Structure formats: C-alpha cells, structure tokens
Amino acid sequence: MFSQASVQAPPFSLLSVHIIRMRNLRQADVLSQSDCYVRLKLPTASFNDARTKTISNSRNPVWNETFYFRIQNMAKSRKRKKSKNLLELKVCDEDSLFRDDQLCTVLFDVAQLRLGETVCRHFELNQQKDEVLEVQFTLEQKLDIPEILATNGVLVSRELSCLEVGVDGRRKKRRRQHFKFTVKASLEDTQNILLGGHARDALPNPMVFHCVKYCNPLLEVKLPRKRSICCSSDKGTVKSLILPFHQLPIGARVEIVNNKEYDVFVTAGNCQKDLDVRLGFDLCPEEKDFICKRKKYVAAALKNVLQLEEDLQDDEVPIVAVMTEAGGARSMTAMYGSILALQKLNLVDCVSYITGLSGTTWTMVNLYEDADWSHKDLEGQINDARKHVMKNKLSCFSGKHLKYYEKEIWQRHLEGHKLSFTDLWGLIIESMFHDEPDPHKLSDQRQAVNLGQNPFPIYLALNVKERYSTLDFKEWVEFTPYEVGLLKYGAFVNAENFGSEFFMGRLMKKIPESRLCFMQGLWSNIFSQNVLDALYLAECSEDFWHRWTRDKVADIDGIPYRRPKRPYVQPTRLFIPSGTLTDVLRDVVMWRPVTAQYHNFMRGLQLNNKYLENDRFSTWKDTVLDSSPNQLSNTAEYLELVDAAFFINTSCPPLLRPERKVDVILHLNYSGGSQTLPLNLATKYYAEQGIPFPKVVLTEEDEKHLKECYLFDKAESPKAPILVYFPLVCDTFQKYKAPGVERSPSEMEDGQTDISSSIFSPYATGMLQYSEDNFNKLVNLTNYNILNNEHLILQALRQAIERKKQQKKLSLFLS
C-alpha cells in the first residue's frame, strides 16, 4: 500500500573516500598523545562500518587509506527517487583499557558531490588550534542493474534480499554445537542454531535473514569451537567466517562449510512483495469514503439547526471537529457533559471528527463501543461512568485483579509485544472504569463509522527519543480505526497491524492487535514526563538546563570549498560529544520513567534526498534531529510513545492536516491550572510551524476573568479554521442551573464547583475517585457551558458555510 508507484532508480555510483591525514590533533588525555583512527559510516550504502588503521601517539597522523561505497546515482531525471546519503566520519582515540573515546564527528552530505569530480576537503575541527581532517572524495558512475524504489518524497523503500541459513549434522549422536549467525542491520540481526541439545532460545533450523539488497550485507558465521586432544589451544582451527551476499547466486543452495560433523548451507533470494506501509500524505480511502457518507448527516443537521431554506451541496458542507484536552478523570467526566449538551442541541450530527488524548480517550473508547452511540440517549453511559468514578480504586489491586494482570501481561509477552509498565497501567485503567475485561480493539471502532453514522475518532500520542526532551524531539502519532501513522513522515499502517514487526515497509511478523485497554495505557501514560518537560509546562525557565544538555553541532562549510546552491544539500556539520558532567546532567533531566514501546513500522526505510524540502515534512519539522537522517525515527527498532499532554496538551494537530480541510474546531479545554496556557502554547507552536490557525486575542480582563466561550475567526490565512474555545470555568453556572433559569437559594450550593488548580480541589488531575455530588457538578457544568453558548457555535457554523459558498463562487469564477 503506497501512494506513488514503484520506479526504477538509475544506475549506482561509486563513492571513493580517501582519508589522507590530520593536522594538530587534540590530546584525548593528559598522559599521552591520541592513538587516532577514523571510523566511516554511510547507512544508505552499507550497514557495516569501515575504519582506518590506528596511528599511535601522533599529533599529525597520516593514513592514506581509501574506502568505497556503492550509492544511488544523481541522474537529473531521477533526483526525487534517491536516498539521502549522509556520511559520518568519526575521529576516535583508541583505548586498550576502556571504551574508545569519540573526539568528534563530521557529517558530510554526499549530495555536495557531482558525478565525475574529485574534491579534497579540509574539515576544520578546531579553527583556533588549526585542527584539520583532510579527506578526498571521488564520485564515479557505475553501470549496474537499476533498483526498484518507492517513495512519498520523504521516505524511501528499497529492495530487500533474504538469506536462508541452515545446518545439517552428520552424526545422530553428537555433542552440543552452537552456531551464531549475524547480518548487521538486518531485521533479525543475530540468530542461533544449536545441534545436539535443547535450546529454548535457539531459532528454527533453517532460519531467514532480511536485509537491504544493495547495502553490502555480510553474513558473519561463528562456528563451534573445535576441541583439541593434543593441546588446549585451538590455534589454526576455523572458528568464524564472513560471507558477502553479492557473491551468492539467487535461488541456489550453497554449501559454505563442510566437515565431518556438520554442513552449513545458505540460499539467497529476493524479497519483492508489495509494501504494507502506506507511504503518502493523503487520507486513506476508508476515511475519504467516511467523509462522503458523513456529509449527508452533516448537511441535514445543519439545515435543521440553522433553519436553512435550501439543502447544502457537498462542497458547501463545512468540516466541523470537536477537539478535547487532557486532564485525567476530570477530562473524562467533563467530556461526557460537553457531548451530552451537543446532543441536546442536535449538533453532534454536525461534527465530522472528534480528537482526544490522555483522559478524554477513556470517554471516547466507552462511547465507540456502541456502533450508533450518537443517536442514543447518553444518560445510560453517563450513569455507568458515574458508578465507576465513584468506586474505591483500591479494589483494582485485589488478589484476583493482580492474577488477571499477570496473566494478560504474560500473554502479551508470548504474542511478541514489547512489554512496559504502560501495559500494567492500561489494565489498571480497564479495572477502574469497567466491570469486566474489555475485548474491544481499535479496529473494532470501524463499525461505528463505516456508514458515516458517528463522528470519526482520532487519538493522539507523541513519539519521543531517549535523552531528549519534547522541546528537542517529538513527533505526532495519530490513531484512527483504520490507520496508525506519523504525520511528519507520511507513513501509515492498518490499525490491526500496529505493533507488528515491519522492515523496509513490509510486514515481517504479524503480532495480534492490542486490546484498547493497552492503547489507553499508551495514550494516557502519566509516567513519561521528564524534568525539562515539567519545567516547560510549568512556565518555569528551562533555558539553563536546556542549554547545558543540548548536543553541540556547528556548521563547518566554508573556504576554500563553496557551498552548492542546491537547497536540498545539507551543509557539513561538526558534532562534538558532551563531557562526562554534561552526560550525567542530561541523564538526570531527560530521564523518562516509562515509555510505551511498540515495534517501529518505519524501521529500515530511508530518507529521500530532498526530504527536508518536502512541504508536508516541513510542516511538522520541529526537532533538533530533523537534519540528521541517520538518527531519525526510521532507524529505530521501537517507537517510544508517550502522553501528548506532556508537550502542549492538545489533540489538534491531526485536524490541521491540510488533507482534512477542517473548517470549524470546537476546542474543549479540560486542563488543570491556567486555562489559557495550552491554547497560547499551541498557537505559538502553529505560528512557528507556519500552520494556518486563527489569531487568539484575549484582553487583560479576559485573562483575569475568563468567559465560558470565545469565538476566534480572524486569521492571516483563509485556510485557517474558525475556533470556538471553551475554557473550563465556572462563571454564570454559579447563578443559573440552565440557560436563563436562575437557581433558588437552596440550589446555590450546586453551582459552587471548585475547578481550581489546587491540589485540594476534588478535580485535581491525580484524583481518580469522585463523590457522586462532585461527578454530577462537573458534568452539569460542562453541559451548561455548551448550552449557554449555543449562539456562538451557530454563528461559527453560519460563517463556515458562508466561507464555503464564497470559495465555491471564486473557484467557478477562476475556472
């Protein structure tokens, strides 16, 4: 499944990297000069690092060693089909007692080179001390078989090879013999075969490796140690061998080891099957079909609530979305009140999307268990939620429940899932808000949208990286009943395949889809915040810690080499490792107690040569690693998923994808503390990213005393949606129990709802148990705030329809 057809890439090129010498090399320690060598890494060409010899105790080491890499060509007609080739040159100091020191790394974009030219570069590693690394590059065309690629302009899928490896024993009775096979950067990496014994950890004989066909894969075989009767030494016996894949004929069974005890054989083959990852930024066909069906509901509902005289045409129907914010049980409870009010106003059928994160996903999961929930009385669901919010949560840790948790987690382990504490947290959430285990899965919710009968649900999480705060690295991940995908990369998989093992866009091992309780543990992972994230959300100054924990990267392009004018060519950068103290500090402030780890469905995919120039990638390009293709998420074995509330507490990003064309957003804020901070942070973020969004203007009086609802419809871009903002405030609700209906003196207590940020508030984020009175107050408050501001919602809907009609007239005029 990919949006662009596979294409044949041009012939390959041969990149020659000649490491000449270094001048004025720094001293790695105070005792002696450095014992220097250079390590070369080009993942798109070879998964095996190369290195020079070590020059001991020298400030001016000379190597004069040449290394070769087979890369894709730069033919003009095929530029868009080429992977981004970023060469890493690591200058290291060899240490016989401890781990080798990495002094610095030069990151060189091969796209700087042109076919047929030889360039000598002098990389200034320390300009003040005239520390220079001299390297000569040559790029030559090499005629070869073209490679079939698929790309969406950001990610590239390449051809795969598979290698079957097996061992045949010659004797019926034999001693235990252990064989270890390794193919670096393959899906499997290392596998073992044990003959003559019971090996629980050994894989079947034969076994298969999957790897990128044109990345110089090597099979490393470690054979059993051969016993010697004469002496204890095994000197002279063969214990290991390395075999390049390209030397093997396709489809033929080749014997690579033959002795009196066993034979080792391999069979090479191609692994050409359709992609199982959808590479594309458009909506999936199922969601497009949903929108077509949903417009009929929306058009009829709008005609009714707005009392329109004529039916709306398809291109006049606005896309309306409900966007919720996080807040634990508070947000779960408050969302019931908001949705109930929208239902009373006959506005649910005007809504095409509902997005949630953290606690609001608990409400959404409960709603979508019923395939027709929006057309039924919600009082039954609210009564059920009330019962579970009121119950003592200590019952979730009874002996019966603990045995159930152990059984379920062990089952996930057997199925092949990567276990984390979020799995247990998901089971606890299930026990807190359900009487029985919930068998539903995300893909089951298709039954609730396949006819367009309910709004389309979207759940949100963040993909993060170890030792980075969300300020430096985060990527939006959306979950729908049909697909799971990362907005920045345009990579999506079927919801039922999320968590399975993928490589180079192909499904390699199907793992059963997770139940929704485990997904809720992921979406509302309250254990994933690190110190820098907390400082950012608390409006404290995190600049000091941020400055001292960031990687040190410098642009070292300059004289005598002139930087090319091609915009997609990255400048040469110098990466300087941090010191021991900084490393310790970084470990402290960046440490996340728990992340939810799921197999990375982008694993193995490479970055397109022009990925940084892609408009869709640029929209969400906000991490310090975006210019480092060798370190982005496609290289990781697992996605590290956390609660999206730990960045700016918003579930809006999926609605701002231009493909969804959302016209109106009902922003329901349930966060604790400042009611304007999440909106201000989000607005600032969208402005920095160049994402169309309305101007949010609040006066000083508004900041001191927030109203129940605000309408923001002014924007610099006509593509910006209209925003109807509902902060979680208790304003006129104190005096009115319903719009226009004042409370009697005996009812005044019902309007006193403490929704402050105090830890003593009954709705504090950490509170998971409410009294019946407090539950009812919160539901009634959010219900009232929607009902009391019906006029602003209707005003936004009328404006959206008028905009659609004006756009239609302009389009007809221009055509």
Side-chain angles (χ1 to χ4, degrees):
M1 312 183 318
F2 46 92
S3 60
Q4 297 193 21
S6 297
V7 296
Q8 281 197 342
F12 288 85
S13 297
L14 183 65
L15 171 67
S16 304
V17 183
H18 184 60
I19 308 296
I20 302 173
R21 63 172 180 163
M22 278 198 69
R23 297 200 313 263
N24 302 316
L25 176 64
R26 71 192 72 176
Q27 222 172 303
D29 54 62
V30 296
L31 299 179
S32 64
Q33 294 293 336
S34 297
D35 302 325
C36 187
Y37 66 89
V38 179
R39 185 178 294 276
L40 299 86
K41 181 179 181 180
L42 184 54
T44 51
S46 174
F47 290 131
N48 300 281
D49 292 0
R51 59 161 288 179
T52 66
K53 60 180 178 289
T54 300
I55 306 296
S56 300
N57 199 28
S58 174
R59 290 194 67 219
N60 300 285
V62 177
W63 290 284
N64 280 321
E65 294 186 51
T66 304
F67 303 88
Y68 299 94
F69 299 93
R70 187 170 178 262
I71 65 173
Q72 292 169 354
N73 206 341
M74 285 290 291
K76 292 182 179 181
S77 62
R78 302 289 185 172
K79 283 183 181 180
R80 290 180 56 83
K81 308 303 179 185
K82 181 179 181 295
S83 295
K84 170 62 73 177
N85 299 299
L86 200 68
L87 176 66
E88 299 179 16
L89 301 170
K90 297 183 179 182
V91 181
C92 303
D93 173 49
E94 189 173 277
D95 197 320
S96 58
L97 297 178
F98 304 99
R99 185 177 64 180
D100 292 358
D101 294 321
Q102 182 181 322
L103 304 182
C104 60
T105 300
V106 175
L107 306 175
F108 177 77
D109 189 351
V110 178
Q112 294 189 23
L113 305 175
R114 300 182 186 276
L115 279 173
E117 72 173 358
T118 296
V119 175
C120 188
R121 293 294 309 270
H122 294 71
F123 298 117
E124 293 186 347
L125 309 184
N126 188 325
Q127 189 173 13
Q128 296 174 341
K129 296 184 178 181
D130 195 27
E131 184 181 33
V132 176
L133 172 65
E134 295 183 24
V135 183
Q136 180 177 287
F137 300 96
T138 303
L139 191 63
E140 301 174 297
Q141 186 166 343
K142 179 181 179 183
L143 297 178
D144 211 328
I145 300 173
E147 180 179 6
I148 298 176
L149 307 176
T151 182
N152 62 355
V154 173
L155 293 174
V156 176
S157 173
R158 302 181 62 181
E159 291 187 41
L160 286 184
S161 287
C162 56
L163 184 71
E164 184 180 279
V165 182
V167 179
D168 284 344
R170 295 184 181 277
R171 298 177 179 177
K172 292 184 179 181
K173 294 182 180 181
R174 57 183 180 268
R175 62 184 177 88
R176 291 181 58 168
Q177 296 173 314
H178 180 256
F179 300 81
K180 184 177 181 180
F181 302 91
T182 301
V183 179
K184 289 183 179 179
S186 67
L187 172 66
E188 297 79 7
D189 192 72
T190 298
Q191 301 187 77
N192 303 291
I193 291 178
L194 184 62
L195 297 182
H198 299 285
R200 294 180 181 178
D201 298 329
L203 295 174
N205 179 14
M207 60 183 59
V208 179
F209 289 92
H210 297 86
C211 56
V212 182
K213 186 174 183 179
Y214 296 109
C215 276
N216 191 30
L218 302 174
L219 172 66
E220 181 180 352
V221 183
K222 289 191 176 180
L223 302 171
R225 184 178 295 273
K226 186 176 180 181
R227 292 180 178 178
S228 175
I229 299 176
C230 301
C231 61
S232 59
S233 173
D234 291 332
K235 187 177 181 180
T237 62
V238 176
K239 297 176 183 176
S240 65
L241 60 91
I242 294 178
L243 180 68
F245 275 38
H246 70 268
Q247 295 182 359
L248 300 172
I250 300 298
R253 189 173 187 267
V254 179
E255 192 175 67
I256 60 173
V257 177
N258 183 330
N259 64 33
K260 62 182 180 181
E261 294 187 4
Y262 53 80
D263 296 332
V264 180
F265 61 88
V266 296
T267 306
N270 292 319
C271 185
Q272 300 309 315
K273 64 174 185 175
D274 292 339
L275 297 188
D276 299 294
V277 174
R278 182 173 71 87
L279 296 181
F281 292 90
D282 205 357
L283 304 180
C284 67
E286 294 84 357
E287 186 176 341
K288 290 180 180 179
D289 182 60
F290 163 82
I291 289 296
C292 291
K293 294 175 180 177
R294 186 64 181 170
K295 280 187 176 182
K296 297 178 181 178
Y297 286 90
V298 175
L302 287 173
K303 183 178 181 181
N304 179 34
V305 298
L306 298 178
Q307 299 181 353
L308 302 177
E309 296 181 359
E310 299 180 351
D311 292 340
L312 293 172
Q313 303 300 312
D314 276 1
D315 53 1
E316 298 173 342
V317 178
I319 302 296
V320 182
V322 169
M323 194 280 293
T324 63
E325 288 187 356
R330 178 184 62 246
S331 61
M332 181 193 78
T333 305
M335 186 177 177
Y336 276 116
S338 301
I339 297 297
L340 179 62
L342 292 174
Q343 190 184 59
K344 289 178 180 178
L345 297 174
N346 298 316
L347 289 173
V348 174
D349 273 347
C350 299
V351 176
S352 295
Y353 290 101
I354 294 181
T355 64
L357 73 165
S358 199
T360 58
T361 66
W362 304 350
T363 303
M364 293 171 64
V365 165
N366 291 340
L367 290 174
Y368 282 88
E369 286 183 6
D370 189 328
D372 200 32
W373 68 265
S374 64
H375 301 117
K376 293 182 179 179
D377 186 358
L378 291 182
E379 289 295 344
Q381 288 219 28
I382 293 175
N383 289 337
D384 190 56
R386 180 188 294 110
K387 177 185 69 174
H388 290 298
V389 171
M390 289 170 55
K391 76 181 182 184
N392 190 337
K393 301 303 185 288
L394 290 178
S395 62
C396 301
F397 300 95
S398 66
K400 177 182 177 182
H401 281 94
L402 293 177
K403 289 181 180 178
Y404 166 66
Y405 301 157
E406 182 182 14
K407 174 186 174 184
E408 288 296 307
I409 290 176
W410 178 246
Q411 180 62 33
R412 281 180 67 76
H413 171 69
L414 295 178
E415 290 173 348
H417 290 282
K418 177 75 170 178
L419 300 182
S420 72
F421 183 77
T422 56
D423 297 321
L424 177 58
W425 172 234
L427 291 169
I428 293 173
I429 294 173
E430 178 188 55
S431 298
M432 287 193 295
F433 301 113
H434 291 82
D435 289 323
E436 300 292 336
D438 182 8
H440 292 93
K441 301 173 182 177
L442 181 59
S443 60
D444 293 336
Q445 293 186 358
R446 295 171 183 173
Q447 300 301 315
V449 295
N450 61 347
L451 302 175
Q453 70 271 40
N454 298 301
F456 194 82
I458 305 176
Y459 307 87
L460 191 67
L462 286 178
N463 179 47
V464 297
K465 251 188 194 309
E466 186 181 2
R467 304 186 85 235
Y468 288 91
S469 73
T470 53
L471 291 172
D472 283 336
F473 191 93
K474 74 277 177 186
E475 296 172 334
W476 303 102
V477 187
E478 68 172 38
F479 299 76
T480 77
Y482 293 107
E483 287 189 326
V484 178
L486 281 90
L487 276 58
K488 184 167 72 176
Y489 299 98
F492 300 86
V493 292
N494 291 337
E496 60 267 35
N497 289 336
F498 176 69
S500 294
E501 292 188 40
F502 288 80
F503 189 67
M504 196 54 76
R506 282 90 170 177
L507 177 62
M508 293 298 177
K509 180 181 179 182
K510 180 70 174 77
I511 294 176
E513 182 182 1
S514 296
R515 292 192 295 121
L516 272 169
C517 68
F518 296 110
M519 305 305 293
Q520 287 177 287
L522 179 168
W523 296 327
S524 56
N525 178 10
I526 61 175
F527 312 101
S528 58
Q529 193 174 40
N530 64 28
V531 173
L532 270 186
D533 294 342
L535 291 174
Y536 178 65
L537 292 175
E539 294 186 282
C540 298
S541 177
E542 75 287 346
D543 292 344
F544 171 80
W545 305 101
H546 196 212
R547 183 171 64 252
W548 283 97
T549 55
R550 265 198 160 180
D551 295 329
K552 296 180 180 179
V553 182
D555 185 345
I556 59 172
D557 264 337
I559 300 175
Y561 185 78
R562 183 173 58 87
R563 185 186 303 174
K565 295 181 180 180
R566 292 168 290 175
Y568 60 88
V569 177
Q570 294 189 30
T572 303
R573 291 186 171 90
L574 177 68
F575 170 80
I576 303 174
S578 53
T580 303
L581 180 60
T582 301
D583 275 343
V584 172
L585 178 62
R586 184 168 184 169
D587 286 337
V588 172
V589 300
M590 302 294 192
W591 177 66
R592 299 182 187 277
V594 177
T595 60
Q597 294 186 320
Y598 283 79
H599 291 289
N600 181 12
F601 55 83
M602 297 188 300
R603 185 180 176 190
L605 293 170
Q606 297 176 1
L607 273 298
N608 188 287
N609 188 42
K610 296 186 177 182
Y611 77 98
L612 284 171
E613 303 302 310
N614 186 283
D615 291 340
R616 293 293 183 265
F617 184 90
S618 297
T619 298
W620 308 107
K621 184 180 68 174
D622 62 349
T623 86
V624 297
L625 295 180
D626 284 330
S627 298
S628 303
N630 298 348
Q631 298 182 64
L632 279 174
S633 294
N634 57 301
T635 62
E637 185 176 357
Y638 296 100
L639 297 175
E640 305 269 347
L641 302 175
V642 303
D643 191 332
F646 290 141
F647 177 48
I648 51 178
N649 193 10
T650 179
S651 60
C652 200
L655 302 175
L656 300 179
R657 288 177 58 187
E659 298 81 14
R660 290 203 166 105
K661 303 176 182 177
V662 174
D663 300 292
V664 179
I665 297 177
L666 304 184
H667 184 305
L668 307 181
N669 179 48
Y670 305 130
S671 61
S674 170
Q675 292 297 298
T676 58
L677 177 61
L679 180 59
N680 292 337
L681 291 176
T683 303
K684 177 184 176 183
Y685 175 77
Y686 303 141
E688 291 172 348
Q689 300 306 120
I691 299 172
F693 198 74
K695 291 183 178 179
V696 175
V697 180
L698 293 172
T699 65
E700 291 185 9
E701 179 62 25
D702 286 328
E703 294 284 355
K704 294 177 182 177
H705 184 77
L706 282 171
K707 301 175 185 176
E708 298 159 349
C709 182
Y710 295 87
L711 175 63
F712 302 113
D713 59 353
K714 306 297 183 184
E716 295 180 357
S717 171
K719 296 181 180 180
I722 298 170
L723 185 70
V724 185
Y725 178 59
F726 286 89
L728 185 59
V729 295
C730 186
D731 188 15
T732 61
F733 180 70
Q734 299 175 64
K735 296 181 180 180
Y736 295 86
K737 62 181 179 181
V741 182
E742 291 190 18
R743 297 184 184 277
S744 65
S746 62
E747 295 171 328
M748 295 302 289
E749 177 62 26
D750 295 336
Q752 301 305 310
T753 309
D754 180 11
I755 50 174
S756 67
S757 59
S758 169
I759 59 173
F760 301 107
S761 168
Y763 307 111
T765 303
M767 292 291 293
L768 295 171
Q769 182 179 349
Y770 297 165
S771 67
E772 181 176 8
D773 186 47
N774 285 332
F775 180 91
N776 292 338
K777 281 184 178 181
L778 187 54
V779 170
N780 292 336
L781 169 63
T782 53
N783 179 74
Y784 170 85
N785 284 351
I786 295 284
L787 295 176
N788 197 44
N789 293 278
E790 175 188 12
H791 63 289
L792 288 178
I793 299 176
L794 298 183
Q795 179 183 336
L797 295 177
R798 289 192 182 96
Q799 288 181 223
I801 292 173
E802 185 60 29
R803 282 188 185 182
K804 301 288 282 188
K805 290 184 176 181
Q806 291 296 330
Q807 291 171 2
K808 181 179 179 180
K809 289 180 181 179
L810 180 61
S811 177
L812 291 172
F813 174 78
L814 294 176
S815 62

